[in-house]
Amino acid sequence: MVVSMAKLEDRTPVTRERAVRVAMALADAVGIESLSMRKLAAELDITAMSLYYHLKDKEDLLDGMLDIVHSEFATPSAGDEWRAAMWKRAGSTRSVLALHPWAISMKARTSPGPATLRHLDSVIGCLTAAGFSMAMTGHAMSILDSYVLGFAQQEASLPLDPSGDIGDATEAIMAQHEAMADSFQNLAAMAVSLILQPGYAFGNEFGFGLELILDGLDVALLSDSVPPNQ
């Protein structure tokens, strides 16, 4: 007898992890605003009350979702070359947030999960092992995270095509404002000489900005007072 995949899926027991991952898939598809415990229960084919055997409340669900997101970030280790490790972490964070854009705007959780804590602990360990003082480590994490999250938010909000090109949207804006070249000369000049040029993609700006930050942290490390591994 042939059993459909749908039936097999229906028999998959509901666990906390499965519920959280299904919630993430829903948020990826329709946005975090549309996610509710009732919709999640329906997706799992259980009653809303049954869902509370696995999750305390929606806050617990959101904690779990964000913890899985953190588990998908590249996590450095003490002893890794710090600059390469921060580059890898930044690029990974950007890629993961592109898959889960709802995570960009989520408020910081007051009950972070183990993956979140492990990730942050490892980042601190990598930087302090490289010689950053604890104060400079705080500065480094703050500026790196602000930059990566901000860039990811821009990418999520800009009208980019799948390749990261914003040319079509730029041409549409210029078409709506025929006098753009006269009234907004600097915008028009950037559009013509940069954005509409072959090969331009907004995403390429990420590496340039990240390198500037890492260069600055390199200089800061030279003036920091903690020897490596101390």
Side-chain angles (χ1 to χ4, degrees):
M1 182 177 67
V2 177
V3 180
S4 72
M5 291 303 295
K7 290 294 185 182
L8 288 174
E9 183 66 23
D10 288 343
R11 295 175 185 174
T12 304
V14 175
T15 62
R16 185 180 191 279
E17 181 176 358
R18 182 174 173 230
V20 172
R21 289 190 179 277
V22 169
M24 290 178 67
L26 285 172
D28 292 343
V30 299
I32 196 78
E33 303 82 6
S34 299
L35 178 64
S36 68
M37 299 294 274
R38 187 174 297 278
K39 287 182 180 179
L40 176 57
E43 190 70 17
L44 292 166
D45 197 24
I46 61 175
T47 65
M49 288 303 297
S50 297
L51 186 56
Y52 289 97
Y53 285 111
H54 309 284
L55 295 159
K56 290 185 292 186
D57 50 29
K58 190 172 181 181
E59 291 302 305
D60 187 28
L61 173 62
L62 295 176
D63 287 341
M65 291 168 67
L66 201 57
D67 200 49
I68 290 179
V69 169
H70 276 82
S71 76
E72 296 176 355
F73 295 159
T75 299
S77 301
D80 289 349
E81 198 283 315
W82 76 269
R83 185 170 178 135
M86 293 305 111
W87 229 115
K88 183 177 181 180
R89 175 182 180 252
S92 167
T93 301
R94 176 191 172 203
S95 297
V96 170
L97 292 178
L99 297 175
H100 311 300
W102 47 268
I104 300 171
S105 57
M106 279 184 65
K107 292 182 179 179
R109 312 306 302 163
T110 57
S111 301
T116 303
L117 297 174
R118 184 163 50 249
H119 176 79
L120 295 174
D121 187 75
S122 295
V123 175
I124 295 168
C126 177
L127 292 172
T128 54
F132 286 87
S133 66
M134 196 58 75
M136 193 62 71
T137 294
H139 296 330
M141 292 177 68
S142 176
I143 192 169
L144 284 166
D145 289 354
S146 296
Y147 175 72
V148 175
L149 288 173
F151 197 94
Q153 189 169 43
Q154 276 191 297
E155 283 191 301
S157 62
L158 288 173
L160 306 175
D161 69 15
S163 71
D165 194 324
I166 198 173
D168 289 346
T170 302
E171 288 181 335
I173 292 171
M174 293 181 72
Q176 293 173 33
H177 300 278
E178 295 180 359
M180 184 172 177
D182 295 327
S183 302
F184 309 103
Q185 296 177 10
N186 297 315
L187 283 172
M190 174 174 276
V192 172
S193 65
L194 178 65
I195 297 173
L196 297 179
Q197 290 298 308
Y200 177 81
F202 175 76
N204 294 338
E205 306 291 354
F206 180 76
F208 181 82
L210 184 57
E211 284 292 332
L212 285 180
I213 292 171
L214 294 174
D215 285 346
L217 291 174
D218 244 336
V219 173
L221 178 57
L222 290 175
S223 64
D224 220 7
S225 58
V226 178
N229 300 315
Q230 294 295 313

